[in-house]
Amino acid sequence: MEESMKGLNAAQEEAVTSTEGFIRVIAGAGSGKTRALSQRFAYLVNEIGILPGNILCVTFTNKSANEMRQRIHHLTGDNDTGYICTFHSFCVSILQEDSNAVQYPKSFLVLDNSDIDAMLKIIYEERNLTLRNMTFSKARDMIEIRKISKEPEYYLDMITMSLDTLRQKYEEAVNPSDIIFYGYLYQEKKCFGLDYNDLIKFSLYIFQEEEEIRLKWQRRLEYIMIDEFQDIDDLQYRLMEVLCNHHKNLFIVGDPDQTIYTWRGANVKYLLDFDKVFPHVKTIMMMQNYRSTPQILSAANSLIEKNQSRIKKELLPTLPGGLPVLCHHADHSRAEAVFIAAKIQELHEKGTPYRDMTILYRAHYITRTIEEIFLKEKIPYTIYSGVQFFGRMEIKDALSYLRMIAYKDDLSFLRIANVPKRNIGQRRLAFLQEYAAEKNCTLYDALIKNIENDIFKGTKAASFVALIESFAADYAERPISEVLSAILNESGYERMLRTEGSQERLDNLAELKQSVYEYETSCGEESTLEHYLTHIALFTNSDAEDRSDKVKLMTVHTAKGLEFPYVFLCAMNEGIFPSKKTNTLQAMEEERRLAFVAMTRAEKRLYLTEAEGRNFDGSPRYPSRFLLDIDETLLAYTQKPQDHLIAKAQDYINFNSRYLLDHSQGQHFARGQRIKHSIFGPGTIVEVDMEKAAYTIQFEKIETPRTITFRAKLEVLQG
């Protein structure tokens, strides 16, 4: 036991050894919570004797889960590391075991954006829709909004309706939104595909309808731990409530000051009110920071204390003193970019690798000028959250080959049947689609049944079938990494890329092979091809580590959970950071938390930069209120804004603050609610736009609806 506690501070040790009941850990940025979670898992296994398979540890990224899995494997020496995964990944595990309860096979597909776009393409072609009706991006957003808020019972259609009934509902739809939505549900059911929203909905449905299955999972999970609890949304919370309701051992870790995902459904009240909802809650404060210098922490503490809705706390430094936080005011955005480039070159010349330097910003459009200067100065850089690694063409192609081997599904078939070229073009694919629809079979089955048809003479269709069949026969006995290498070779896919001279794509495939190998190593006996494929769709850009020596550029949201030796937080201007869309007190506090998260990513030194100029709407740019929130004595200026500019900035901020709405105090009306306006009279709320802070209202005396700000005095009409 002494060995397992080595190096832990008093708060971490208390968190590790507090095993029973409901425990809440408020863990500040850089306080070593990953270490504490890993050590607690090891303590449960090594000291108490709990089986790893009876512990659930939920993280919010696959990267965190992999890191924790490796740590725990090292601490316990056990290949079984229980359920260490994201909420979505855990739901995949539930459904793989109990999908029969919703009449789905164990080989269901987990859909990512690329798969959804492939389905949308089919729907648009079938119903003669164009991108003028709706772009794919807007269609995906629309589907998600309808699933989450407008039609939360949608999953019942997928579970209880027959495929023919669902198709009929799709065919009877008239307006583009309905056509796309019901067409998508039909396409999902047709290929037994589930997207992220479905995974939790289906799991909750099974637990609600099947008491025996619910009890099985409740009894199995003797200890539940959840990281980043401030990011939990309503559905995840409901799932957690169900799972912990038997043993009542729930351990949560979070930081209210790092709540930056409310726009995605995160609800910090679950963390703040945890002790009011659950009995006899023990709260542990972990405030010692092991990441950043005292200078960085002092500036971050000074900023976040301006928020009102928070648990009062302060990050405590453990590292020795470093350099002051450097603040730079530039005359224009180009001069700001030149300053950043010069500092990066200076650091690099003194021996700092480019990969140790990161530029953070509020929105992607900020990078244009920086990129121009970097290209001119030949500074290598990479932008995160561009094309995600697992969304790149060659990666999707490789994974589609693996999916064909395991599932032989239509989406994979359409993607790679003619890649490399096998003379299976649009005319032949249309023939297969017509046959498959008529016979109610997959496209691959349609090809097998028609392989001797004259239409496939002069094609390589037979060799494609032979390829898939040969791999399908024995893939279960081979490591995934071996299957992947072999199929890319024998299909001619890698040869095609070499012929094209696509070295970057070949490098990406090499990275994929390495990631598969690492996956096999970390998952042990669980690493079946099916297990890998159902989880891979949940991976994001941040899960693929970039080891190249380049400066990293990313949004603050992307940087959450990461740390970097040198951080440049740029474009710290009103209307940029905080965003010009910020129109409530609550949203402004979230923007300040976002700035706090950005600052606490820095380990050795933090640079804050802003520039004068004009915004897109022609208004003057002022220094951000977040710069002015920080105690002036905690910042070192290379060039300070002139007093008159600071005065104008303060006037603007004071004026803007008067118009920030307080949602906690203000009136809230829901869609469909009857109200009365002092001028326009009675009406009905048609839409609620949180971004614009406005209602769309259809008044009885006015023919067309009006958009009315939340600030307007509205009276509730009864009945």
Side-chain angles (χ1 to χ4, degrees):
M1 179 173 160
E2 282 179 17
E3 188 62 31
S4 65
M5 298 294 143
K6 201 171 174 183
L8 297 179
N9 63 39
Q12 289 171 329
E13 189 169 328
E14 188 180 6
V16 167
T17 56
S18 301
T19 60
E20 307 307 302
F22 297 98
I23 300 152
R24 173 177 65 176
V25 178
I26 305 295
S31 61
K33 60 186 177 63
T34 304
R35 184 180 184 193
L37 279 162
S38 306
Q39 295 277 29
R40 187 176 191 269
F41 194 112
Y43 181 82
L44 288 168
V45 173
N46 295 340
E47 304 300 330
I48 297 180
I50 306 298
L51 290 168
N54 292 353
I55 304 171
L56 168 64
C57 183
V58 178
T59 69
F60 269 76
T61 67
N62 285 291
K63 187 177 179 182
S64 301
N66 286 334
E67 184 187 334
M68 202 168 293
R69 207 178 287 118
Q70 285 166 11
R71 287 192 186 206
I72 288 165
H73 173 68
H74 178 71
L75 290 165
T76 63
D78 197 326
N79 282 328
D80 182 4
T81 49
Y83 298 99
I84 304 171
C85 50
T86 63
F87 271 111
H88 292 111
S89 205
F90 179 65
C91 289
V92 166
S93 297
I94 295 170
L95 292 167
Q96 280 184 320
E97 196 166 312
D98 293 305
S99 60
N100 59 302
V102 285
Q103 295 83 54
Y104 268 57
K106 294 193 188 310
S107 59
F108 65 89
L109 299 177
V110 181
L111 306 171
D112 63 14
N113 280 349
S114 173
D115 298 322
I116 297 169
D117 285 353
M119 289 177 171
L120 290 172
K121 188 169 180 283
I122 294 168
I123 296 162
Y124 279 45
E125 285 173 359
E126 282 185 350
R127 298 298 301 271
N128 295 317
L129 297 178
T130 70
L131 296 179
R132 286 196 186 94
N133 295 108
M134 202 179 295
T135 64
F136 282 7
S137 173
K138 284 196 172 153
R140 289 197 304 269
D141 289 345
M142 179 273 293
I143 290 166
E144 187 166 11
I145 289 165
R146 284 181 74 152
K147 281 189 171 187
I148 291 171
S149 55
K150 292 188 177 178
E151 296 182 51
E153 307 281 287
Y154 75 90
Y155 63 95
L156 295 173
D157 285 1
M158 294 174 69
I159 293 169
T160 60
M161 280 186 181
S162 69
L163 192 60
D164 287 342
T165 309
L166 200 52
R167 181 166 182 91
Q168 192 178 343
K169 196 168 181 177
Y170 157 53
E171 287 173 345
E172 287 170 357
V174 176
N175 75 63
S177 285
D178 287 346
I179 291 170
I180 293 165
F181 184 66
Y182 294 117
Y184 176 65
L185 296 188
Y186 167 69
Q187 288 293 336
E188 277 196 289
K189 178 142 184 155
K190 188 181 171 190
C191 71
F192 295 115
L194 297 173
D195 63 25
Y196 288 15
N197 293 300
D198 307 328
L199 293 170
I200 293 187
K201 288 272 190 178
F202 274 50
S203 299
L204 282 167
Y205 174 85
I206 291 172
F207 288 158
Q208 183 184 309
E209 298 296 316
E210 304 287 341
E211 186 182 9
E212 197 174 313
I213 294 174
R214 185 182 72 247
L215 279 169
K216 174 187 72 175
W217 283 97
Q218 287 176 330
R219 286 169 180 154
R220 183 184 299 176
L221 302 175
E222 296 175 4
Y223 293 88
I224 297 171
M225 300 189 276
I226 301 176
D227 194 11
E228 305 287 5
F229 199 77
Q230 75 279 349
D231 294 334
I232 202 167
D233 64 27
D234 296 346
L235 282 175
Q236 292 163 345
Y237 186 82
R238 277 173 54 198
L239 183 65
M240 176 213 72
E241 277 188 306
V242 172
L243 292 171
C244 76
N245 201 31
H246 184 71
H247 295 290
K248 301 188 188 313
N249 287 324
L250 178 60
F251 178 92
I252 66 163
V253 183
D255 181 6
D257 288 337
Q258 296 189 70
T259 307
I260 60 174
Y261 292 120
T262 58
W263 52 276
R264 218 165 59 186
N267 196 335
V268 72
K269 77 176 173 72
Y270 292 133
L271 175 62
L272 295 174
D273 296 344
F274 190 78
D275 56 334
K276 298 183 183 73
V277 176
F278 294 96
H280 313 298
V281 170
K282 180 178 188 178
T283 296
I284 300 166
M285 303 291 284
M286 276 173 41
M287 290 299 113
Q288 285 181 270
N289 177 287
Y290 295 92
R291 176 187 299 155
S292 308
T293 65
Q295 288 83 350
I296 294 168
L297 294 182
S298 295
N301 284 329
S302 180
L303 170 71
I304 200 64
E305 69 180 15
K306 306 302 185 294
N307 271 6
Q308 299 302 307
S309 301
R310 63 186 293 263
I311 294 173
K312 297 250 184 268
K313 57 185 179 62
E314 195 167 279
L315 293 174
L316 305 171
T318 60
L319 298 178
L323 295 165
V325 174
L326 195 64
C327 205
H328 180 75
H329 168 80
D331 294 335
H332 46 79
S333 57
R334 191 170 180 83
E336 182 184 5
V338 167
F339 169 81
I340 292 170
K343 284 293 170 190
I344 283 171
Q345 290 288 43
E346 189 184 304
L347 285 165
H348 187 63
E349 284 164 13
K350 289 179 180 174
T352 303
Y354 285 122
R355 63 176 168 270
D356 284 356
M357 295 176 266
T358 302
I359 300 173
L360 301 181
Y361 39 83
R362 180 65 179 84
H364 274 299
Y365 70 84
I366 302 298
T367 67
R368 185 182 60 82
T369 313
I370 294 171
E371 286 188 77
E372 282 177 16
I373 299 298
F374 276 24
L375 288 166
K376 185 184 170 192
E377 298 297 328
K378 296 184 171 55
I379 297 173
Y381 68 92
T382 181
I383 297 179
Y384 277 61
S385 287
V387 178
Q388 296 195 344
F389 180 78
F390 291 100
R392 289 173 182 158
M393 182 191 82
E394 62 278 8
I395 303 300
K396 290 297 297 181
D397 288 346
L399 294 175
S400 291
Y401 268 107
L402 291 180
R403 279 191 359 184
M404 273 305 298
I405 295 167
Y407 304 136
K408 303 183 175 73
D409 65 290
D410 286 358
L411 290 177
S412 302
F413 183 90
L414 285 167
R415 187 171 185 98
I416 51 93
N418 205 38
V419 182
K421 292 276 189 285
R422 299 185 177 94
N423 209 14
I424 308 172
Q426 287 304 315
R427 183 173 68 88
R428 292 182 173 97
L429 283 173
F431 170 83
L432 290 174
Q433 285 170 318
E434 194 174 320
Y435 183 94
E438 188 184 318
K439 302 291 184 183
N440 199 21
C441 65
T442 66
L443 294 173
Y444 183 72
D445 282 340
L447 179 62
I448 289 174
K449 286 167 184 169
N450 290 280
I451 203 76
E452 301 298 330
N453 192 303
D454 286 351
I455 197 172
F456 290 107
K457 280 185 178 170
T459 73
K460 294 180 180 175
S463 62
F464 175 68
V465 169
L467 176 79
I468 300 301
E469 291 300 310
S470 69
F471 275 88
D474 67 352
Y475 76 88
E477 281 76 51
R478 301 167 71 182
I480 309 165
S481 50
E482 185 186 304
V483 173
L484 176 61
S485 292
I487 192 79
L488 289 175
N489 177 42
E490 292 177 37
S491 65
Y493 189 86
E494 283 188 320
R495 185 167 60 252
M496 175 189 78
L497 293 185
R498 279 195 291 274
T499 306
E500 291 172 359
S502 303
Q503 190 55 48
E504 188 179 345
R505 287 180 170 158
L506 286 165
D507 290 346
N508 286 336
L509 287 178
E511 183 66 27
L512 177 67
K513 291 173 188 175
Q514 180 62 24
S515 77
V516 170
Y517 178 74
E518 288 171 3
Y519 181 87
E520 286 172 328
T521 308
S522 68
C523 290
E525 69 209 23
E526 278 188 357
S527 60
T528 64
L529 180 57
E530 289 83 357
H531 187 272
Y532 175 74
L533 289 169
T534 50
H535 286 75
I536 198 73
L538 306 172
F539 284 19
T540 65
N541 201 31
S542 59
D543 300 321
E545 194 174 335
D546 188 349
R547 300 178 185 89
S548 56
D549 193 26
K550 296 175 182 176
V551 178
K552 300 177 181 75
L553 277 66
M554 65 182 79
T555 65
V556 183
H557 281 105
T558 304
K560 174 77 164 53
L562 305 175
E563 55 191 32
F564 316 99
Y566 298 90
V567 169
F568 294 80
L569 180 54
C570 66
M572 293 291 285
N573 292 95
E574 286 292 309
I576 300 175
F577 202 177
S579 164
K580 65 179 178 190
K581 294 177 181 176
T582 309
N583 49 33
T584 68
L585 288 172
Q586 288 74 19
M588 186 59 76
E589 293 216 338
E590 177 144 344
E591 287 288 297
R592 190 174 282 106
R593 290 195 295 269
L594 191 58
F596 172 79
V597 165
M599 292 170 70
T600 53
R601 299 311 92 197
E603 298 171 331
K604 295 181 179 179
R605 192 155 203 200
L606 173 65
Y607 302 81
L608 306 173
T609 67
E610 53 86 19
E612 290 179 57
R614 296 275 169 186
N615 294 311
F616 292 141
D617 60 2
S619 61
R621 274 191 186 175
Y622 299 118
S624 168
R625 68 190 69 197
F626 301 149
L627 289 176
L628 305 180
D629 281 344
I630 301 169
D631 184 338
E632 203 177 325
T633 62
L634 301 174
L635 301 175
Y637 277 91
T638 55
Q639 185 176 320
K640 201 173 177 185
Q642 293 181 358
D643 289 344
H644 73 89
L645 185 64
I646 297 276
K648 282 183 179 176
Q650 288 287 14
D651 287 345
Y652 170 82
I653 292 163
N654 292 336
F655 178 80
N656 174 264
S657 297
R658 288 205 301 272
Y659 288 92
L660 289 176
L661 296 161
D662 187 350
H663 277 181
S664 63
Q665 303 297 322
Q667 49 187 350
H668 295 282
F669 301 106
R671 202 157 60 107
Q673 203 162 357
R674 297 265 299 146
I675 52 86
K676 184 179 178 184
H677 187 277
S678 57
I679 307 294
F680 293 145
T684 304
I685 307 281
V686 180
E687 288 291 341
V688 182
D689 191 327
M690 298 304 290
E691 193 171 289
K692 290 181 180 172
Y695 303 109
T696 303
I697 305 175
Q698 181 64 67
F699 293 103
E700 291 176 5
K701 296 177 182 175
I702 303 175
E703 191 175 331
T704 56
R706 293 287 184 272
T707 304
I708 305 293
T709 174
F710 287 171
R711 288 196 292 271
K713 293 283 189 279
L714 300 174
E715 182 186 328
V716 180
L717 288 178
Q718 303 300 327

